Amino acid sequence: MTCLIETLLRLAAWLVVAPLLPGIINKVKAWVAGRKGPPVLQLYYDLARLWRKGVVQSTLASPGFIAGPVVGWIALLAAALLLPLGRHAVAPSFQGDVILLVYLLAVARFATAWAALETGSAFEGMGAAREVSFAVLAEAAVITAVLALAVQSDSLSLPAMLAPAGGTGALLLAAGLFIVLLAENCRVPFDDPNTHLELTMIHEVMVLDHSGPPLALILHGAAIKLLLFSVLLVEAVLPVGDLPALAGTGALVAGVLVVMVGVGLTESLLARAAFRQVPLMLTTAFLLCLFALLVAWRGAASPLPERPPPTVRLPGETTS
Amino acid sequence: MSENLNIFVGLAMGLNLVALGSSRLTSVIRAAAVQGVLLGVLPLLMEEFHWMILVVAVLTMLVKGGLIPSLLNRAVKSANIDRDLIPLVGYVPSLLLGATGTLAAVAVAQRLPLLPAHAHTLLVPGALASVFTGLVLLIGRVKAITQVCGYLILENGIYLFGLLLLHSTPLIVEGGILLDLTVAVFIIGIIVDRIRTEFDTLDTHKLNMLRE
């Protein structure tokens, strides 16, 4: 019974906290640019407004047009529930739940692309094609990062994988996961969430024809995805699971805030990259995660390399 | 001590990939320069302090981090080279090639019969990876200046190998190598200027035809 209540509480936390993150990013961006910026709670207002509105649907579209956002939102929420939040809030975990997490993210992406294609507009098909082709590279990086964590902790369940600190490869893993976070959530070097220029959009193109509650679900799902990736990043680097409950939660919140400020600063300081540079950046992320995997693998093969004794005599010394 | 050493060599291996992935001439030059400075610190970490080692380390850092990059940058500026690179092998393939080379270097180095003192350092993998990166840059880039950078990174790899023999090579050899390197870069700077006045481009592919 307590397990059920705890799970419900965590569900509520994900639902309520997630829309805060884009607000924080926008506040940071406004602060860097010297503007006042929209209120931090802006996304909550938007969601409430969208929820009250009606749905405009193309006569061409099948029920998949509505089902897509719903399936995507549920998949993202289920994926978020698998992530542990600190020490005591351990999810319904089992061996291999990390694979389920990766696949739930893929299902959410498929559902969004599916709903985009339902409209029959070539424009949205273009967005779906971009999203899916960049996802191939981003997923490779995520899977490599997960593999590095699995090798390092010798486990395939998320709470065990994320409990210890990232070890020596933590910096590499953090850099790789941060790039993936930017790509997966359509942040600036990859996609501009503010732009409405058809040539530059990826994610925004796919959801152009959605309106009302389905659009609210898409926006909320995007916020959950952002929170999910930042929690994953923080827990892969900081030993949140090993700290006492209160300190762990505090570290998690502080870490997510730092990641959000980092995203805001990146958006303020960097220009959006050209499309042909995106594969290069995602390959970089993949390689960073690959080298984190290498470090984890070497660390696992020889736990603390037996260092040579300092007084070893080399052949050169005896002859010279 | 070997932890610090590994961090420096690891950073140098990362810079190899930066050089392979960057699309700007100046950033390739900078990557090669920073790598040279990082490797210049290594002798200080490996040995007990000795004034001769300090002199060579400082000289290495000055030449590789200051003199050579400034010569190259001057050549870039005076020859009015377009700063974008035109790769023969694209950035993503060359990055993947470089990463594969680095992984292979780590794997191969574990099988080599090394001295116990060097078995757990990244010296040998770093040397192999740098040599490989230098080769990829030499083969995969069109412009003469990038090829010089490839040559510099290759030399950094050989220098890393040389650190294994720090006990038995007199440091004067290192000094001589540094001098050679500087002279080579000098000459290449002159050649670059000549190529430009003769052919109006630095694309080395235009140099494979004989003319009267």
Side-chain angles (χ1 to χ4, degrees), chain A residues 148-180:
Chain A
L149 287 171
V151 165
Q152 183 179 291
S153 61
D154 205 16
S155 160
L156 266 182
S157 89
L158 276 165
M161 283 166 65
L162 294 174
T168 13
L171 219 58
L172 293 170
L173 207 58
L177 280 177
F178 188 69
I179 299 177
V180 169

Side-chain angles (χ1 to χ4, degrees), chain A residues 168 276-277 279-280 283-284 286-287 290-291 294 297-298 302 304-308 312 314-317 319-320, chain B residues 1-3 17 21 23 91-92 95-96 99 102-103 106 110 115-122 125 164 167-168:
Chain A
T168 13
R276 61 192 164 82
Q277 283 180 351
L280 185 66
T283 312
T284 312
F286 168 67
L287 289 180
L290 191 69
F291 282 104
L294 185 71
W297 175 53
R298 277 192 63 139
S302 55
L304 277 188
E306 352 24 299
R307 293 191 199 158
V312 98
L314 302 179
E317 274 178 288
T319 51
S320 60
Chain B
M1 182 198 77
S2 93
E3 287 289 307
L17 298 183
S23 60
Y91 301 119
V92 174
L95 250 185
L96 289 178
T102 309
L103 293 182
V106 173
Q110 279 179 337
L115 285 177
H118 301 140
H120 285 291
T121 61
L122 279 174
L164 292 177
H167 283 279
S168 37

Side-chain angles (χ1 to χ4, degrees), chain B residues 136-148:
Chain B
V136 172
L137 274 180
L138 276 173
I139 297 166
R141 300 290 186 268
V142 171
K143 281 187 184 145
I145 296 268
T146 340
Q147 294 178 345
V148 179

Side-chain angles (χ1 to χ4, degrees), chain A residues 298 308 312 314-315, chain B residues 1-2 5-6 46-47 109 112-125 160-167:
Chain A
R298 277 192 63 139
V312 98
L314 302 179
Chain B
M1 182 198 77
S2 93
L5 192 76
N6 281 350
M46 288 177 73
E47 286 300 304
L112 292 177
L114 297 173
L115 285 177
H118 301 140
H120 285 291
T121 61
L122 279 174
L123 278 180
V124 178
L160 263 180
F161 256 130
L163 285 183
L164 292 177
L165 302 173
L166 198 59
H167 283 279

Side-chain angles (χ1 to χ4, degrees), chain B residues 68 70-81 144-145 148 151 181-197 202:
Chain B
I68 291 179
S70 70
L71 281 176
L72 286 177
N73 278 326
R74 242 191 59 180
V76 170
K77 215 174 269 174
S78 69
N80 235 340
I81 306 171
I145 296 268
V148 179
Y151 166 66
L181 201 62
T182 319
V183 171
V185 173
F186 244 136
I187 294 171
I188 285 167
I190 297 167
I191 291 177
V192 161
D193 201 46
R194 284 298 167 87
I195 294 175
R196 189 188 56 86
T197 48
L202 276 182

Side-chain angles (χ1 to χ4, degrees), chain A residues 68 104 171 174 215 244 282 292 305:
Chain A
L104 280 172
L171 219 58
L215 183 58
L282 285 175

Side-chain angles (χ1 to χ4, degrees), chain A residues 252-271:
Chain A
L252 188 62
V253 171
V256 169
L257 272 180
V258 167
V259 172
M260 286 307 109
V261 172
V263 172
L265 288 179
T266 316
E267 298 216 348
S268 311
L269 301 177
L270 280 187

